[in-house]
Amino acid sequence: MKRVNLSSKQIIIWICVNYGIFILAFFTLGFVSHIKSVVILNFVLDVLLCVVSLVLNIRLFSAKYKISVVGKIGLLFATLCFSAFTYFAFLMPESGFPPVLFS
């Protein structure tokens, strides 16, 4: 299997696109939150976007990419915040959000 070589700029663009899709999907969930299958699909999409962003962030920490450490840590922190938000919004019944996956 051939490994795809991405530049640091391409990785950052993909991470930002993932963040944009995540935010757009979560805001559109408010319009159709009464449909259970859409909520589950949104949860799966959010988890996939978080995993892809995390993998891209880990690749960005490679020594061949000349990016400041603050930028790398900032992107990783944003990804971890999106992941924590997904966990709290969909899985934690004690959070401020309703436990939509279990209702």
Side-chain angles (χ1 to χ4, degrees):
M1 188 170 184
K2 185 178 177 185
R3 188 172 184 133
V4 178
N5 290 326
L6 297 172
S7 69
S8 61
K9 184 177 180 179
Q10 290 172 325
I11 290 175
I12 293 172
I13 288 172
W14 273 108
I15 291 172
C16 291
V17 167
N18 285 348
Y19 293 165
I21 293 171
F22 182 94
I23 292 168
L24 183 67
F26 193 77
F27 283 134
T28 57
L29 179 64
F31 296 114
V32 290
S33 64
H34 59 281
I35 303 172
K36 179 90 171 178
S37 60
V38 173
V39 173
I40 293 171
L41 181 67
N42 191 303
F43 172 71
V44 171
L45 176 68
D46 288 349
V47 169
L48 280 172
L49 289 172
C50 288
V51 168
V52 169
S53 294
L54 188 62
V55 168
L56 289 174
N57 276 310
I58 291 170
R59 272 188 82 183
L60 202 58
F61 273 96
S62 174
K64 73 178 186 176
Y65 298 115
K66 305 296 182 205
I67 300 173
S68 69
V69 175
V70 174
K72 292 177 184 180
I73 291 174
L75 287 171
L76 181 63
F77 181 72
T79 299
L80 293 176
C81 285
F82 280 126
S83 300
F85 181 78
T86 301
Y87 176 73
F88 285 116
F90 287 101
L91 299 176
M92 289 290 295
E94 295 88 18
S95 66
F97 301 106
V100 293
L101 291 179
F102 302 116
S103 58

